[in-house]
Amino acid sequence: MVHPAAFYEYDNLFKIILECLIIVVIIQIYILLRRKLKMDVKDKVLETLKNSGEPMKAGEIAETANIDKKEVDKALKALKSEEKISSPKRCYYSAN
């Protein structure tokens, strides 16, 4: 016959494994949400530039699109590397 204490050890092990799985799922959800947020910011920045009709500074984009300037700077860097925007003069950006 199996000693009852053995079940207690397996029960604790199961709880630990379950907690680890929950943490992994939470991390995956967080990563997906961050990616989605970054895409939304990039899309909003690009849309703002297309609608402006003239080159804009990062601060102007942030104010117009109601986005934090640091996020706009990150989006501009990504959009420039993807060649979706250009910089006709220093610190100004326009959609291609």
Side-chain angles (χ1 to χ4, degrees):
M1 182 167 181
V2 178
H3 193 272
F7 288 115
Y8 179 74
E9 290 177 22
Y10 286 119
D11 188 45
N12 283 339
L13 182 62
F14 176 73
K15 287 179 183 176
I16 292 170
I17 291 171
L18 186 61
E19 288 172 2
C20 289
L21 288 173
I22 290 170
I23 291 169
V24 167
V25 168
I26 290 170
I27 291 170
Q28 290 294 328
I29 291 170
Y30 173 78
I31 290 169
L32 290 172
L33 289 175
R34 290 287 297 172
R35 284 184 188 155
K36 175 71 173 137
L37 177 64
K38 286 181 183 178
M39 290 304 294
D40 289 346
V41 170
K42 281 175 39 180
D43 292 342
K44 202 165 186 179
V45 167
L46 188 58
E47 181 182 333
T48 302
L49 287 171
K50 286 180 179 177
N51 292 338
S52 75
E54 60 184 40
M56 298 177 75
K57 288 184 169 186
E60 296 169 337
I61 297 167
E63 189 177 318
T64 303
N66 198 23
I67 303 171
D68 183 59
K69 188 178 176 301
K70 289 180 182 179
E71 294 297 320
V72 171
D73 289 334
K74 290 178 192 175
L76 289 171
K77 184 177 179 181
L79 290 167
K80 195 168 182 183
S81 70
E82 295 170 11
E83 298 182 357
K84 292 183 178 180
I85 64 170
S86 59
S87 182
K89 61 182 177 177
R90 190 167 189 262
C91 298
Y92 282 84
Y93 301 92
S94 62
N96 288 341

